Amino acid sequence: QVQLVESGGGLVEAGEPLRLSCTASGSIFSIHTMAWYRQAPGKQRELVAGISRTGDTNYADSVKGRFTISRDNAKNTVYLQMNSLKPEDTAVYYCNALVADYNLATTAYWGQGTQVTVSS
């Protein structure tokens, strides 16, 4: 089994930065794609940013130029640096990881979510 533990959420004012972290632990041979999703009240969960093992990234249009995703493969950790936060960024942020175990079976795992609230 694999666990994803997120941290770094909180309440900030518009324009302020925030950094999220997510660390994977457990039966891990390799982690392929890692990503951050978010879900606002009454809305569907959406992809915010993703990063491959080799560092290729993709972003939702709404966060391009403001958010930066990165990862530390040695620590099985993914980060999301969020700058110039807006009230519309308020949501529960979830970490996602595509993990290969020692049998090379690949499974997608989710973190428990961390609340980000941006006040205007």
Side-chain angles (χ1 to χ4, degrees):
Q1 266 292 355
V2 173
Q3 297 78 40
L4 301 182
V5 178
E6 299 134 335
S7 62
L11 172 63
V12 296
E13 293 187 356
E16 292 185 341
L18 204 60
R19 189 192 196 206
L20 306 182
S21 300
C22 171
T23 299
S25 62
S27 181
I28 299 171
F29 174 76
S30 178
I31 302 178
H32 304 303
T33 302
M34 303 186 83
W36 288 96
Y37 287 74
R38 67 186 180 186
Q39 187 168 19
K43 295 188 177 181
Q44 289 189 329
R45 190 172 297 189
E46 63 174 358
L47 175 67
V48 176
I51 184 168
S52 72
R53 183 170 181 80
T54 56
D56 295 325
T57 59
N58 64 290
Y59 296 92
D61 288 342
S62 60
V63 306
K64 283 180 181 177
R66 300 188 298 120
F67 291 10
T68 302
I69 189 171
S70 60
R71 64 188 286 174
D72 184 333
N73 290 331
K75 296 181 179 180
N76 290 334
T77 298
V78 63
Y79 306 96
L80 186 67
Q81 178 66 45
M82 303 184 292
N83 296 328
S84 303
L85 281 162
K86 304 175 181 180
E88 51 263 44
D89 294 317
T90 295
V92 178
Y93 284 69
Y94 296 92
C95 174
N96 173 273
L98 192 60
V99 179
D101 62 23
Y102 290 97
N103 294 316
L104 301 184
T106 301
T107 305
Y109 292 93
W110 292 91
Q112 79 285 357
T114 186
Q115 177 70 46
V116 172
T117 302
V118 185
S119 64
S120 57

